[in-house]
């Protein structure tokens, strides 16, 4: 069977998620097949001998002669498929048909087996979230809420799930614009979190590695959180002069419950006070292991890292075959009565953060991070 345009687009996305660099020879072959499949035989002048890279690309394309576009497309798809198999790619990478792809490679949206997967794809920056990524995630959730998938998944490419907000978002702000930027940041944050509150289908976090900041706080708005035993959960807001978002000031104490602190001794009267466990995370920045997060109700299930991807995707594929309308309605029954409250909490948290971003504590913490004085 000939590869369709959709198969070809799927393969292009798969290439972005390859875990191993396939090497220059294969990359040239991919380039040549891509050009031949999209533009036909090489029709541009040969670059000069000193223009090594462009000459190598030209040679590879030119070598395909008059190979038909359809055959090139098929060969491209076959080559990518063999690379994906050998690089242990999760195999979840077929983009949804007709979906508008995100504005950059930092987010990859795919759809297969009734599952729309949104993958954070900035592994060299530990998948830190840029403004473009916040916008693209909102667009992806909007599209996923209407497509024919039964469930949606958020995950990360590389060793991290996500290192939270990209702290360089706070740099290069001209002095007179700091307040405006804090205001627009708070609007973006509020809109972003609203999309998670309103998402109508089951939403699953596949936490493939450590998670920091907003990527942790949002977990309270997911329906399932699967984590590798390598994952950690860290919300260093006080260290950063910031405050909790993602509705975590409400969802975390609710999910984690109280921890009892007993003080006094046998001779005196003992006092028992109850502090929400979430306080240790959200106020004191305690980093939880995956198992601790599971015991405290933030994570649904923890898997050994060696079998994480396999076990999780087998499970999710089975879930995605359940009747989609029933799942959507059940989610709504569980979540709807909280929605109004969550929107109000989100608005409040966003406006408090807007103030925090203007504080000296916050500015100093970011300067520290950027100057590599501090590693959280
Ligand atoms: C619309 C706005 C909404 C904002 C909402 C409010 C959100 C709040 C938060 O999310 S608060 C949390 C912010 N995140 C952090 O504080 C994490 C900062 N990063 C780290 O502490 C460390 O990088 C690490 C623990 C995540 C990983 O440490 P390590 O394994 O030692 O790797 P590196 O530090 O060398 O990192 C590799 C590379 O990635 C860059 N990077 C990592 N995280 C971020 C980040 N959050 N922002 C920007 N850049 C990040 C890091 O600088 C390195 O880059 P380099 O190779 O040096 O160019």
């Amino acid at each position: 069977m000939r590869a369709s345009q959709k198969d070809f687009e799927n393969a292009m996305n798969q290439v972005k998620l390859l875990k191993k660099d396939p090497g220059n020879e294969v990359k040239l072959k991919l380039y040549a097949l891509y050009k031949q499949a999209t533009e036909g035989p090489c029709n541009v002048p040969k670059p000069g001998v000193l223009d090594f890279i462009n000459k190598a690309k030209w040679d590879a394309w030119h070598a395909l002669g008059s190979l038909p576009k359809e055959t090139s497309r098929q060969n491209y798809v076959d080559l990518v498929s063999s690379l994906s198999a050998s690089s242990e790619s999760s195999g979840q990478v077929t983009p949804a048909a007709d979906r508008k792809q995100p504005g950059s490679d930092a987010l990859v949206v795919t759809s297969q087996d009734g599952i729309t997967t949104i993958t954070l794809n900035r592994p060299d920056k530990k998948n830190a979230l840029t403004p473009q990524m916040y916008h693209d995630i909102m667009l992806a959730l909007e599209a996923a809420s209407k497509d024919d998938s039964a469930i949606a998944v958020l995950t990360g490419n590389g060793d991290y799930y996500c290192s939270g907000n990209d702290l360089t978002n706070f740099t290069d702000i001209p002095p007179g614009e700091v307040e405006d930027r804090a205001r627009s940041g708070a609007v973006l944050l509020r809109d972003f979190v609203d999309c998670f509150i309103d998402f109508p289908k089951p939403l699953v976090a596949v936490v493939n590695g450590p998670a920091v900041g907003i990527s942790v706080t949002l977990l309270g708005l997911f329906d399932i959180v699967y984590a590798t035993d390598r994952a950690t959960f860290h919300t260093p807001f006080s260290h950063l002069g910031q405050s909790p978002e993602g509705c975590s000031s409400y969802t975390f104490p609710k999910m984690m419950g109280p921890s009892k602190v007993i003080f006094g001794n046998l001779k005196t009267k003992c006092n028992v006070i109850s502090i929400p466990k979430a306080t240790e995370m959200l106020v004191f920045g305690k980093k939880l292991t995956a198992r601790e997060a599971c015991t405290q109700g933030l994570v649904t299930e923890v898997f050994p890292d060696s079998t994480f991807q396999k076990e999780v995707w087998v499970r999710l594929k089975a879930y995605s075959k359940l009747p989609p309308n029933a799942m959507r309605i059940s989610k709504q029954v569980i979540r709807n009565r909280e929605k109004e409250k969550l929107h109000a909490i989100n608005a409040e948290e966003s406006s408090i953060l807007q103030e925090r971003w203007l504080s000296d504590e916050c500015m100093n913490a970011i300067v520290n991070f950027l100057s590599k004085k501090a590693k959280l």
Side-chain angles (χ1 to χ4, degrees), residues 124-126 128 134 160 163-167 185 188-189 212-214 237 240 242 245 353 357 369 372 375-376:
D124 55 333
K125 299 287 178 192
K126 312 291 182 193
Y134 289 110
Y160 258 67
S163 62
N165 190 36
D166 188 314
L167 295 175
L188 176 57
L189 172 63
V212 187
I214 190 166
F237 299 127
L240 291 166
Q242 299 190 28
E245 18 61 355
L353 248 184
W357 286 329
F369 170 76
K372 297 277 176 194
K375 275 281 163 68
L376 298 165

Side-chain angles (χ1 to χ4, degrees), residues 57-372:
K57 286 162 115 178
W58 187 92
D59 285 341
W61 184 10
H62 190 254
L64 294 180
S66 57
L67 193 70
K69 279 187 172 179
E70 295 71 29
T71 316
S72 308
R73 196 159 70 182
Q74 180 68 59
N75 291 356
Y76 182 94
V77 170
D78 291 345
L79 179 55
V80 173
S81 153
S82 68
L83 293 171
S84 301
S86 67
S87 89
E88 295 175 341
S89 171
S90 73
Q92 299 307 312
V93 279
T94 309
D98 305 327
R99 186 189 301 285
K100 187 176 170 300
Q101 282 298 307
S104 83
D105 288 351
L107 199 75
V108 179
V109 185
T110 61
S111 197
Q112 194 177 30
D113 299 321
I115 306 173
T116 290
T117 305
I118 303 169
T119 305
L120 308 174
N121 186 35
R122 248 187 123 204
D124 55 333
K125 299 287 178 192
K126 312 291 182 193
N127 296 324
L129 297 168
T130 62
Q132 176 76 50
M133 288 166 81
Y134 289 110
H135 283 291
D136 284 344
I137 293 169
M138 286 194 276
L139 287 176
L141 287 174
E142 174 68 21
S145 69
K146 296 186 193 127
D147 70 14
D148 57 5
S149 61
I151 61 181
V153 170
L154 183 68
T155 190
N157 186 22
D159 61 341
Y160 258 67
Y161 173 64
C162 174
S163 62
N165 190 36
D166 188 314
L167 295 175
T168 65
N169 294 346
F170 293 97
T171 57
D172 297 331
I173 306 177
E177 287 176 26
V178 177
E179 274 159 24
D180 275 358
R181 287 284 277 273
R183 199 172 305 118
S184 59
V187 171
L188 176 57
L189 172 63
R190 185 176 167 179
D191 290 348
F192 178 71
V193 175
D194 276 347
C195 286
F196 284 83
I197 297 172
D198 289 330
F199 191 70
K201 300 176 181 177
L203 186 59
V204 182
V206 171
V207 185
N208 56 297
V212 187
I214 190 166
S215 70
V216 177
T217 57
L218 280 175
L219 294 175
L221 301 174
F222 281 71
D223 303 297
I224 299 178
V225 179
Y226 290 146
T228 158
D229 57 9
R230 209 170 46 73
T232 51
F233 298 82
H234 192 196
T235 47
F237 299 127
S238 298
H239 300 68
L240 291 166
Q242 299 190 28
S243 52
E245 18 61 355
C247 296
S248 58
S249 62
Y250 174 72
T251 56
F252 278 33
K254 200 169 170 219
M255 285 187 303
M256 296 175 160
S259 61
K260 300 236 182 297
V261 178
I262 302 175
F263 58 95
N265 58 42
L266 287 175
K267 288 187 189 146
T268 62
K269 205 173 133 195
C270 283
N271 288 311
V272 180
I273 55 164
S274 227
I275 304 175
K277 282 187 189 154
T279 302
E280 257 197 307
M281 272 192 96
L282 296 177
V283 178
F284 301 112
K286 183 182 179 192
K287 191 196 282 187
L288 299 191
T289 63
R291 298 218 181 279
E292 287 167 339
C294 192
T295 310
Q296 299 195 13
L298 180 60
V299 165
T300 315
E301 194 168 336
V302 180
F303 298 80
D305 194 52
S306 54
T307 54
F308 177 61
Q309 294 290 346
K310 193 162 174 239
E311 286 194 64
V312 160
W313 289 108
V314 166
R315 181 90 62 89
L316 292 177
K317 277 181 195 169
Y319 287 169
S320 71
K321 293 193 174 58
L322 294 169
N325 290 335
M327 285 199 286
R328 220 182 47 239
I329 287 163
S330 297
K331 167 169 177 163
Q332 282 165 20
V333 169
I334 296 168
R335 296 258 176 195
N336 269 5
R337 68 179 74 92
E338 292 269 60
K339 259 191 182 177
E340 213 175 306
K341 188 164 198 167
L342 290 171
H343 284 300
I345 289 160
N346 181 27
E348 192 189 354
E349 288 177 346
S350 302
S351 111
I352 293 171
L353 248 184
Q354 180 180 333
E355 296 301 318
R356 292 310 305 158
W357 286 329
L358 301 173
S359 70
D360 286 347
E361 287 181 348
C362 178
M363 300 288 177
N364 291 340
I366 284 156
V367 170
N368 271 350
F369 170 76
L370 295 173
S371 59
K372 297 277 176 194

